Amino acid sequence: MKLGKVEFYHFLQLIALFLCFSGMSQAELTRSRSKPYFQSGRPRTKRSWVWNQFFVLEEYMGSDPLYVGKLHSDVDKGDGSIKYILSGEGASSIFIIDENTGDIHATKRLDREEQAYYTLRAQALDRLTNKPVEPESEFVIKIQDINDNEPKFLDGPYTAGVPEMSPVGTSVVQVTATDADDPTYGNSARVVYSILQGQPYFSVEPKTGVIKTALPNMDREAKDQYLLVIQAKDMVGQNGGLSGTTSVTVTLTDVNDNPPRFPRRSYQYNVPESLPVASVVARIKAADADIGANAEMEYRIVDGDGLGIFKISVDKETQEGIITIQKELDFEAKTSYTLRIEAANKDADPRFLSLGPFSDTTTVKIIVEDVDEPPVFSSPLYPMEVSEATQVGNIIGTVAAHDPDSSNSPVRYSIDRNTDLERYFNIDANSGVITTAKSLDRETNAVHNITVLAMESQNPSQVGRGYVAITILDINDNAPEFAMDYETTVCENAQPGQVIQKISAVDKDEPSNGHQFYFSLTTDATNNHNFSLKDNKDNTASILTRRNGFRRQEQSVYYLPIFIVDSGSPSLSSTNTLTIRVCDCDADGVAQTCNAEAYVLPAGLSTGALIAILACVLTLLVLILLIVTMRRRKKEPLIFDEERDIRENIVRYDDEGGGEEDTEAFDMAALRNLNVIRDTKTRRDVTPEIQFLSRPAFKSIPDNVIFREFIWERLKEADVDPGAPPYDSLQTYAFEGNGSVAESLSSLDSISSNSDQNYDYLSDWGPRFKRLADMYGTGQESLYS
């Protein structure tokens, strides 16, 4: 007859009670056989009660207190003179004792999983004297276990992975369940495992909880995840046992068991011939059901007529094959290309090679489309040479361009004027012949880089560009000249044959063999008695003295004409004048002063005396300026005199006038006194004592009647003009008058013999005025001879 859960529970309680009563009867029998206990003062006898432990069934659900056991002493005669007391764990709160009978009861439901046993102490006392008649004894109440806890998976739910296509029996994961019941008593904590969900793919070992594969060739691509339910049951899986469950998620991990395959056997793409190099032509991809590293591809072109024109690479993210251009396409040369492309896995698994080759091929056809292209020059750069002496209109060279399209449209040529701003060159629009349009100068621009445009006649928007580098060849068209403006001096005490200057020359031309200059004195200066020239044969020459005793008071400046010839073919020459000043030098030959006016001063004055005289003059000038300034300040009155003509000044009032021109006072005396005669002023940089430096005075200006009439007319117009500024505004007129007192400054007639102007004083103004003195001076023949 099968027992239900409740009936089985009550059956266990009856067994526990029977065992407790058996233990109590045995304890009472033991105590009745022990010797009596004597009070203090009497000889102590052997203990009269002994027990080890009581048992009580856990989870008692009755309404009355649960009987645990009975304490009894042989001294107790049943007359009520003995009382029993209980102390220790749970005394009075969980366990109570009848002090008359010694019966122990449990007042609360006990749980062995919370506390498995309780330790208490029992004592028998004389009721009258309250003294112990038995020694205090310690005993244990042990909670008897029942199967009231189901197994639990403390680490659940579980996740695990196993490679796809694994053989049967491959371990996946181990699950573990724990039972809180007493493992040493009965089968309450003995667990067995079973699989409730997940068959027939997986199985579990009953005792260990190890989950294993149960089917071969499980394919991730068909199903990649499984949900298992595992049960753990106590009581060794028998009926009436408790159970618990957990879930296990098993994921099939990928293996390389799928070869790559192209979805199509052939592809076709159209690309224009103008597509730049390195542009993407197409993207193709072989399908692979695997993922991750097992789906990584390698692409290559294995055959076809476009091996050198195209290349293929792989996109690491999408695993696509990217076809790009390596060379420019030309529709006129080839209209289509065919490529045979292979895709293969990088890492093949040897276990699955029997499934087939892990590679696949496809055919890609690329159609080149024609586009209208600009004209193409026969050469990317045209180097040309032309002499700078060539005549305008001469041919320099020819460029050629053609239309690469099948239509072969005629081409017209032109020069990009942004590269030829000065318009030195022209080009024939039909033939491409380049000619000179201006005279060329190598010294101005040695190389001309121009751009030639070639335009289709049928489609002017298609323009090709060619580049021409025109090198200007040098001719000897520049005469040599001094390398610098020399400031040459000769000491008064110079000795004959002394070198006073070393000169060199420059030439803007660039002969192929380098410059070679020849120096000599001009024919007029060859026989002079003052200086000579020595050609050093190294493009330099030395100027030497021919005599001694140069004196500034006799002649302070010498002009030496030097003839320079270059080595060109034909050779060119020029005459350059070297200015030599006579100076007073110290013992080391260093020039001290070169001014000729120093000789006008009284002889015998030392430098200190000259400085003292100059200091006195300056002091007198300062005193005179102070006196004049103070007198002017005293004469100025603090208020206006009634007789003073105040019409000469416009006083500024802080009111709104006609603009900015009435904010400053001005002197009108200059307008009334128009006949101003300019004083003759001498140059500050010329010493007045030297008579030959005097300049002619300006002529006095005649009465400016025209100027006066012009101003009065403008004043009348301003008075009647309602839009003119207020009466106190300054009117400004740009009227030149009847000419400048400086007269003509033209130098066209300066070199004529009839000119009354003498420019000899320019020679004393220093090397900066040398060229003017050379052009307009009259006494050169006598200066160097």
Side-chain angles (χ1 to χ4, degrees):
M1 179 178 179
K2 294 185 179 180
L3 297 177
K5 184 175 181 180
V6 178
E7 289 81 0
F8 180 73
Y9 179 74
H10 289 300
F11 176 72
L12 290 178
Q13 288 181 339
L14 291 176
I15 293 175
L17 289 174
F18 174 76
L19 292 176
C20 290
F21 288 138
S22 299
M24 289 177 57
S25 299
Q26 185 66 29
E28 290 180 355
L29 179 60
T30 303
R31 292 191 202 97
S32 63
R33 293 177 182 177
S34 63
K35 296 181 180 181
Y37 173 74
F38 297 94
Q39 299 293 336
S40 59
R42 299 178 183 179
R44 185 173 181 179
T45 62
K46 187 179 179 180
R47 182 176 177 179
S48 60
W49 58 356
V50 176
W51 64 88
N52 290 327
Q53 59 186 7
F54 290 112
F55 293 91
V56 61
L57 195 63
E58 68 170 334
E59 303 293 347
Y60 171 71
M61 304 298 291
S63 58
D64 297 331
L66 177 63
Y67 181 76
V68 177
K70 184 179 180 63
L71 296 179
H72 184 73
S73 176
D74 292 342
V75 180
D76 188 2
K77 302 300 182 182
D79 55 2
S81 61
I82 301 299
K83 68 175 181 180
Y84 300 94
I85 61 174
L86 194 64
S87 62
E89 289 182 314
S92 301
S93 60
I94 298 176
F95 301 101
I96 59 175
I97 189 171
D98 190 335
E99 65 178 11
N100 295 320
T101 63
D103 293 332
I104 301 174
H105 291 80
T107 61
K108 294 182 178 180
R109 182 175 65 86
L110 300 176
D111 188 358
R112 190 201 66 84
E113 285 70 41
E114 292 182 2
Q115 189 165 345
Y117 61 89
Y118 296 86
T119 302
L120 295 96
R121 292 181 300 277
Q123 197 170 26
L125 302 178
D126 186 289
R127 191 178 294 276
L128 297 177
T129 63
N130 206 28
K131 292 182 180 181
V133 295
E134 291 281 0
E136 186 178 47
S137 181
E138 187 178 87
F139 66 95
V140 175
I141 297 178
K142 188 174 182 181
I143 310 303
Q144 191 72 38
D145 183 46
I146 65 171
N147 190 18
D148 60 341
N149 289 279
E150 74 277 2
K152 295 181 178 180
F153 293 92
L154 301 180
D155 297 329
Y158 296 87
T159 57
V162 64
E164 63 174 332
M165 312 299 288
S166 296
V168 175
T170 302
S171 296
V172 180
V173 68
Q174 183 178 17
V175 297
T176 303
T178 58
D179 196 322
D181 292 325
D182 189 358
T184 62
Y185 179 77
N187 295 323
S188 299
R190 295 181 63 184
V191 178
V192 294
Y193 301 93
S194 62
I195 183 167
L196 300 181
Q197 180 181 322
Q199 298 96 342
Y201 306 102
F202 299 93
S203 63
V204 62
E205 291 186 355
K207 294 182 179 181
T208 61
V210 175
I211 301 174
K212 297 181 179 180
T213 57
L215 282 180
N217 301 327
M218 285 190 293
D219 191 2
R220 184 198 66 84
E221 288 71 34
K223 185 177 181 180
D224 63 346
Q225 197 172 78
Y226 297 86
L227 180 62
L228 282 63
V229 177
I230 305 299
Q231 182 189 66
K233 190 173 184 180
D234 58 13
M235 298 298 293
V236 201
Q238 298 177 2
N239 293 333
L242 303 179
S243 64
T245 60
T246 187
S247 64
V248 180
T249 302
V250 180
T251 302
L252 296 182
T253 58
D254 186 56
V255 297
N256 193 7
D257 60 337
N258 292 278
R261 292 290 181 264
F262 283 105
R264 297 165 56 183
R265 292 293 91 191
S266 64
Y267 298 86
Q268 180 173 318
Y269 299 95
N270 294 349
V271 295
E273 63 174 333
S274 60
L275 199 64
V277 175
S279 299
V280 176
V281 175
R283 287 175 174 263
I284 60 174
K285 184 178 182 180
D288 193 332
D290 298 322
I291 59 174
N294 297 319
E296 291 182 357
M297 300 285 182
E298 287 182 340
Y299 296 89
R300 65 189 186 99
I301 301 175
V302 295
D303 197 5
D305 55 0
L307 293 177
I309 307 298
F310 303 94
K311 72 172 183 178
I312 188 168
S313 58
V314 63
D315 188 327
K316 299 297 183 182
E317 295 183 359
T318 63
Q319 298 302 315
E320 292 178 308
I322 305 173
I323 303 175
T324 55
I325 302 176
Q326 284 186 294
K327 295 182 180 179
E328 293 183 353
L329 301 177
D330 188 0
F331 174 82
E332 288 71 27
K334 191 172 180 61
T335 59
S336 65
Y337 297 89
T338 301
L339 306 174
R340 189 164 172 264
I341 297 176
E342 179 187 68
N345 282 140
K346 294 181 64 177
D347 301 314
D349 194 331
R351 296 177 300 171
F352 307 105
L353 293 179
S354 59
L355 299 177
F358 277 76
S359 63
D360 195 18
T361 59
T362 188
T363 301
V364 177
K365 188 174 184 180
I366 299 174
I367 306 298
V368 180
E369 296 178 344
D370 187 25
V371 296
D372 192 4
E373 300 175 274
V376 178
F377 282 87
S378 59
S379 175
L381 177 65
Y382 293 87
M384 299 180 183
E385 293 182 347
V386 61
S387 173
E388 63 178 326
T390 188
Q391 300 296 321
V392 175
N394 284 358
I395 297 176
I396 301 175
T398 304
V399 297
H402 69 282
D403 183 9
D405 299 318
S406 57
S407 60
N408 195 16
S409 174
V411 176
R412 295 184 61 83
Y413 302 94
S414 63
I415 295 178
D416 184 356
R417 290 306 175 183
N418 291 324
T419 61
D420 185 25
L421 297 176
E422 300 294 333
R423 296 181 176 267
Y424 283 106
F425 307 98
N426 289 327
I427 188 170
D428 187 272
N430 297 317
S431 63
V433 175
I434 299 176
T435 58
T436 57
K438 283 185 178 181
S439 298
L440 303 176
D441 185 8
R442 187 204 64 84
E443 288 72 34
T444 302
N445 194 352
V447 179
H448 295 267
N449 294 304
I450 63 174
T451 301
V452 177
L453 306 179
M455 181 186 305
E456 288 186 15
S457 299
Q458 297 178 0
N459 187 3
S461 63
Q462 295 295 331
V463 179
R465 285 173 169 77
Y467 303 97
V468 181
I470 303 175
T471 302
I472 310 302
L473 301 179
D474 186 38
I475 63 172
N476 191 25
D477 58 344
N478 290 276
E481 58 185 8
F482 277 160
M484 58 180 294
D485 290 334
Y486 295 101
E487 295 185 2
T488 306
T489 61
V490 60
C491 295
E492 290 182 309
N493 56 357
Q495 299 297 320
Q498 182 178 344
V499 177
I500 61 174
Q501 182 69 58
K502 188 176 183 180
I503 60 175
S504 61
V506 293
D507 194 330
K508 295 180 181 179
D509 297 320
E510 290 185 358
S512 57
N513 298 325
H515 289 289
Q516 181 62 48
F517 300 115
Y518 304 95
F519 300 86
S520 64
L521 294 178
T522 60
T523 304
D524 298 338
T526 303
N527 298 322
N528 78 90
H529 304 288
N530 300 315
F531 306 100
S532 63
L533 181 144
K534 176 184 177 183
D535 193 338
N536 297 325
K537 307 301 182 181
D538 59 354
N539 290 340
T540 64
S542 300
I543 307 300
L544 298 87
T545 57
R546 301 186 66 176
R547 66 180 180 88
N548 58 1
F550 293 93
R551 297 179 60 81
R552 283 178 293 167
Q553 65 272 25
E554 294 179 359
Q555 186 171 343
S556 61
V557 179
Y558 294 88
Y559 299 97
L560 187 65
I562 299 175
F563 188 70
I564 307 176
V565 182
D566 61 18
S567 58
S569 179
S571 61
L572 296 179
S573 62
S574 66
T575 301
N576 299 261
T577 302
L578 181 66
T579 302
I580 305 173
R581 290 183 174 278
V582 181
C583 299
D584 180 23
C585 303
D586 57 12
D588 296 329
V590 178
Q592 298 297 315
T593 177
C594 301
N595 295 328
E597 58 268 22
Y599 291 95
V600 183
L601 297 175
L605 290 178
S606 63
T607 304
L610 291 175
I611 294 174
I613 293 173
L614 290 175
C616 293
V617 173
L618 289 175
T619 304
L620 290 174
L621 290 176
V622 171
L623 290 175
I624 292 171
L625 289 174
L626 289 175
I627 293 171
V628 171
T629 303
M630 294 186 67
R631 285 184 177 180
R632 286 184 178 179
R633 288 184 178 179
K634 289 181 179 181
K635 288 181 179 181
E636 292 179 357
L638 296 178
I639 60 175
F640 288 107
D641 189 359
E642 294 181 356
E643 297 179 357
R644 185 177 180 183
D645 187 6
I646 61 175
R647 290 176 299 172
E648 295 179 358
N649 296 290
I650 297 177
V651 182
R652 179 175 60 195
Y653 301 97
D654 293 332
D655 58 347
E656 294 292 336
E660 298 176 354
E661 297 169 60
D662 65 346
T663 59
E664 296 293 339
F666 63 96
D667 187 5
M668 296 180 63
L671 295 178
R672 295 201 307 271
N673 188 10
L674 300 178
N675 298 326
V676 177
I677 305 300
R678 296 186 181 181
D679 296 335
T680 301
K681 297 181 180 179
T682 58
R683 293 176 56 89
R684 294 183 180 180
D685 55 349
V686 179
T687 306
E689 284 78 4
I690 302 177
Q691 298 300 322
F692 64 87
L693 296 181
S694 62
R695 301 290 301 273
F698 292 112
K699 298 179 180 180
S700 61
I701 301 176
D703 187 11
N704 249 326
V705 178
I706 299 176
F707 186 36
R708 186 185 305 110
E709 292 178 355
F710 172 79
I711 291 179
W712 284 115
E713 290 177 0
R714 294 298 178 271
L715 288 176
K716 292 177 181 179
E717 292 177 1
D719 290 340
V720 298
D721 186 4
Y727 64 92
D728 58 348
S729 297
L730 174 63
Q731 300 293 329
T732 303
Y733 303 103
F735 183 73
E736 184 178 356
N738 58 356
S740 172
V741 296
E743 297 184 348
S744 176
L745 298 179
S746 174
S747 59
L748 296 177
D749 298 331
S750 300
I751 60 175
S752 63
S753 59
N754 297 329
S755 175
D756 58 353
Q757 182 68 37
N758 184 10
Y759 293 97
D760 290 342
Y761 60 86
L762 293 175
S763 60
D764 295 325
W765 285 9
R768 297 182 180 178
F769 298 91
K770 179 180 71 66
R771 289 189 179 276
L772 290 175
D774 294 343
M775 295 173 61
Y776 306 117
T778 58
Q780 292 186 4
E781 293 81 358
S782 63
L783 289 176
Y784 59 80
S785 58

